[in-house]
Amino acid sequence: MSRSLKPLIVAGDELFEGFFEWLEEQYDETSGGFFYARSSKLSGDFTPDIESTAQALNIVDRCGLTDAFDGRLKEAFVRFFQSRQDPETGYFYEPDPNMRLDDVMVGRAIGYSMHALRRFGAEPLYPLPNDRESAPSYTESPRAYALWLRSVSLLNSWRGCDRLCNSAPYLSQMDSGKREPFLKEAVSFFTEIQDPESGLWGKGTPYVRLSGTFKLHTFFTRFRVPMPRTSEIYRSILNILHNEEAIDMCYIRNPISLLASMNLEIPERDMKDIASITLANMAKLKRNDGGFSREITHSPAATNVAQVKPGEYYPDMPAPVPLGKGEVEGDMNAGTQAVLIRHLLYKLSGVEPGKLPVPSRYFSKYRIV
């Protein structure tokens, strides 16, 4: 497969011209974190945030660049995440108080922060929520968890499944013996409500349902539980790729992540179509500043509020946590997804990845070599 697909996959690397120069511009030496977008930094109205900083580190890690950083930069990253932990609760918060009201952002912040700290051999400054009984009330018992799972609206699969899978950080903090009955409740419920024909979860437009399914896949993957009905999901992915417009970087990344996680044997003809459609969609989101936008028309100003598109409904809409000005520009959320898409396309195609065009002066002030 790799021989015939290689020219197509390699050509996609041209999309990353200027990307690492854009990435370096988002770094803030004072805080040790990364801004979400150029407008975030230049406006003076925002600060570096947890998700953008973790996403930037995911980019450099996935490209094999992290170990080239010297100790000063690594210490700055650790200092940034530790500074975001609340000593009273153990959670990691942004300065915007609305962030505390969005359980998805709060759950993600724990995962992002802990992964980054441990990547650099560090620990949080204070006990985590589970260790001080400040975790959500559904962690009190498997029964409470089962009731909470069933209370989450799936009228919009993307938002609903995002809420469901963000219980994972709290389950992962439990020891295996305590976690097992919670995990059993989740897997049983998810299997019960899965559409047997499409393999997808919840309601909404095709890409919204596919995005919700991707969110749940992160839960299954985290706890090494096989996803049910992968053949049905595969057929749905192909149908959606061919017949729906991808107007969001998440819509481009989610099918690829699902395909990679399911470990299916993909026919060469299908893989060519998947790669061609994916790279063409990514090209539409490339921006003049070198980065990629989440949305096809602009970079969303707040990543915790998905842009409501025709035919989509978002129950329990959280209050926005603005990170940028919403301009036609690259943003960190799209950037980390673009790099992951590239990585997974190489993996799915069986092509050995080369190096991306990283400039020799990239973070030269902090490079070991």
Side-chain angles (χ1 to χ4, degrees), residues 57 59-71 73-74 77 119-121 362 366-369:
L57 294 180
I59 291 170
V60 297
D61 217 21
R62 190 161 281 125
C63 295
L65 301 172
T66 308
D67 290 337
F69 293 153
D70 69 15
L73 195 56
K74 294 177 181 179
F77 295 149
R119 172 67 179 83
F120 296 112
Y362 174 71
Y366 302 100
R367 294 287 287 275
I368 296 174
V369 291

Side-chain angles (χ1 to χ4, degrees), residues 62-324:
R62 190 161 281 125
C63 295
L65 301 172
T66 308
D67 290 337
F69 293 153
D70 69 15
R72 292 174 300 157
L73 195 56
K74 294 177 181 179
E75 288 171 5
F77 295 149
V78 169
R79 186 175 67 250
F80 172 82
F81 287 104
Q82 289 178 335
S83 73
R84 288 296 195 267
Q85 191 181 23
D86 177 23
E88 298 298 322
T89 65
Y91 285 100
F92 295 82
Y93 292 132
E94 302 294 358
D96 189 325
N98 282 332
M99 184 265 191
R100 301 181 181 219
L101 305 178
D102 186 345
D103 57 347
V104 170
M105 285 194 79
V106 171
R108 276 205 301 251
I110 292 176
Y112 275 135
S113 300
M114 291 306 300
H115 177 78
L117 288 172
R118 287 170 179 166
R119 172 67 179 83
F120 296 112
E123 293 292 334
L125 295 179
Y126 312 104
L128 295 175
N130 280 29
D131 298 330
R132 59 173 78 213
E133 299 182 355
S134 61
S137 59
Y138 61 69
T139 62
E140 293 175 0
S141 70
R143 175 62 178 163
Y145 184 51
L147 291 174
W148 175 81
L149 289 171
R150 285 160 174 77
S151 74
V152 175
S153 172
L154 291 177
L155 287 174
N156 180 280
S157 177
W158 194 359
R159 173 65 182 172
C161 290
D162 205 3
R163 291 191 65 201
L164 291 173
C165 76
N166 269 284
S167 62
Y170 305 106
L171 268 61
S172 66
Q173 293 176 52
M174 300 175 181
D175 62 59
S176 58
K178 180 179 179 182
R179 178 171 58 239
E180 193 56 36
F182 285 84
L183 193 56
K184 184 177 179 180
E185 289 288 352
V187 173
S188 174
F189 176 62
F190 297 157
T191 303
E192 171 192 331
I193 64 173
Q194 185 182 24
D195 184 336
E197 293 186 9
S198 68
L200 306 181
W201 277 271
K203 298 184 181 300
T205 61
Y207 263 119
V208 165
R209 297 187 74 206
L210 183 58
S211 295
T213 300
F214 159 73
K215 290 296 183 179
L216 280 192
H217 120 272
T218 64
F219 187 99
F220 283 96
T221 302
R222 184 167 194 160
F223 297 110
R224 300 181 181 180
V225 177
M227 283 192 74
R229 299 189 174 102
T230 53
S231 296
E232 289 81 358
I233 295 174
Y234 179 72
R235 288 196 296 270
S236 293
I237 289 173
L238 292 184
N239 180 55
I240 292 170
L241 285 176
H242 281 100
N243 297 297
E244 303 292 330
E245 183 184 10
I247 55 177
D248 189 303
M249 184 64 86
C250 297
Y251 292 171
I252 304 170
R253 173 268 182 98
N254 295 348
I256 300 301
S257 288
L258 271 171
L259 289 169
S261 71
M262 293 190 297
N263 294 316
L264 299 176
E265 189 69 35
I266 302 176
E268 182 175 349
R269 180 177 177 179
D270 285 357
M271 193 61 230
K272 282 185 177 179
D273 285 347
I274 291 165
S276 296
I277 293 169
T278 297
L279 292 172
N281 287 335
M282 280 180 63
K284 297 175 184 177
L285 300 179
K286 177 69 175 181
R287 300 300 179 222
N288 291 334
D289 61 9
F292 296 86
S293 284
R294 255 280 313 272
E295 298 277 346
I296 199 164
T297 56
H298 66 295
S299 169
T303 62
N304 71 316
V305 180
Q307 303 301 301
V308 179
K309 307 170 184 69
E312 298 181 8
Y313 170 63
Y314 287 78
D316 306 317
M317 204 69 151
V321 180
L323 298 176

